[in-house]
Amino acid sequence: MDINKIRNDFPQFNENKDLAYLDNSASSLKPKCVIDALDDYYNRLGVNVHRGVYKLSYEATDLYEEARTTIAKFINAKFEEVVFTRGASASLNLVALSYGMRFINQGDEVITTELEHHSSHMPWFNVCKVKGAKLKYVELDKEGRITVEAFKKVLTDKTKVVAITYVSNVMGYITPIREIIKLAHEKGAIVTLDGAQAVPHMKIDVKELDCDFLSFSGHKMCGPTGIGILYGKYNLLDKMPPIEFGGDMADTVRRDSQTYKVPPYKFETGTPIIAGAIGLAEACRYLDKIGFDFIVKQEKYLRDLAVKRLQEIEGVIVYNPNAETGIISFNIDGVHPHDAASVFDNNNVCIRAGHHCAQLITTWLKTIGTVRASFYFYNKEEDVDKFIKAVKEAKDFFYSF
Ligand code: C6P
């Protein structure tokens, strides 16, 4: 595929020709077609859904619900299994606050890992604390990976929930999730999967994975900010209580009783994120057009190239040289990641530095934080060149004192 043609889809590169955008795990850039879809909704419609008895509102409702159909197809879910949320964090919290608070009891066990983002780990830490359940951690291997063997060691008859990441936002490792899900189900536990770093980068089929819940964000996959998805198996969503109450999710409301709509609507309180949903559906169509075969190949090619060149620089510590995805975590020995980051910025290279909202893994790595470069399909070799130049410049600058 012609990478320059792909880059023409992204107005950011016209505005900022010299930009090496390597902070894709934080948020991806947005293609023109997604911006146009948002524009179209606001320019032509801009009205509410599900409520208005006039043509504009019917059309907005159709676009909003068609977006759900598109996104359901994108992950091979059913329409009614796709809940619109504010993002991955909101989706992960919804599962813990609803399923966890209703179905976890004293003495139950929840399995998590040190590779979790705070939004995956913290909600279950709190559920366990309130409910008197035990939070157990899968022992990571020497590289910092989750293995099936280590998972088996913490899985027991008491395990009720496995809250686990599909791809780590710091290490970029892909969790061997199929086997973990199978083993968890054999014990009668459910698996809530954090797909924030997986769904933008690989083809996901929730039926084939057989996960019980999958959470992800629109803004990391070419979609707008402020929209995310919670996929849940319908039988689970159906028995879960809502966590927010009010407009549009209610069925009947009386002085002494109330009933709620069926999923997904019982979890979508108030005016929904209409433009966000429409924009995310456009992003799904766009990613399908680019094709995940290309996305996987391009990210891997660029990250391997960058890792090889990083490893040639003395003093650079790469924490995940063998990761399968486009994430590289590293440090320049003795240089604070935030200090290094300022040199990248001066070179117009966008990277992230710090603990990446995943302090369990930076603690495990025995560092306060890392510098993280994260690639997406629109990155090119020149970005790697600029990135390596910035690493060398940062090292030379801080080693000159
Ligand atoms: N990680 C990063 O730079 P939100 O912020 O709700 O869209 O996504 C939360 C989230 C959940 N899980 C994982 C694995 C994630 O990586 C993120 C977001 C960003 O790594 C911002 S901290």
Side-chain angles (χ1 to χ4, degrees), residues 275-309:
I278 294 168
L280 179 53
E282 189 57 40
C284 291
R285 283 189 284 271
Y286 179 75
L287 288 177
D288 270 340
K289 208 175 81 192
I290 297 290
F292 278 98
D293 288 348
F294 175 74
I295 293 173
V296 168
K297 229 170 82 190
Q298 180 72 353
E299 289 178 17
K300 182 86 171 75
Y301 168 67
L302 292 173
R303 72 99 53 200
D304 286 352
L305 186 66
V307 166
K308 187 167 165 284
R309 293 180 62 186

Side-chain angles (χ1 to χ4, degrees), residues 25-26 87-90 92 117 119 165 167 169 194 196-197 217 219-220 352 356-357 372:
S25 290
S89 300
L92 292 160
H117 186 277
S119 295
T165 191
V167 173
N169 70 322
D194 179 351
Q197 300 293 350
S217 293
H219 68 97
K220 293 184 198 289
R352 189 174 169 190
H356 315 294
C357 305
R372 183 188 69 186

Side-chain angles (χ1 to χ4, degrees), residues 198-209:
V199 180
H201 303 280
M202 58 180 84
K203 191 67 200 158
I204 301 286
D205 178 331
V206 290
K207 291 285 172 286
E208 187 250 324
L209 277 179

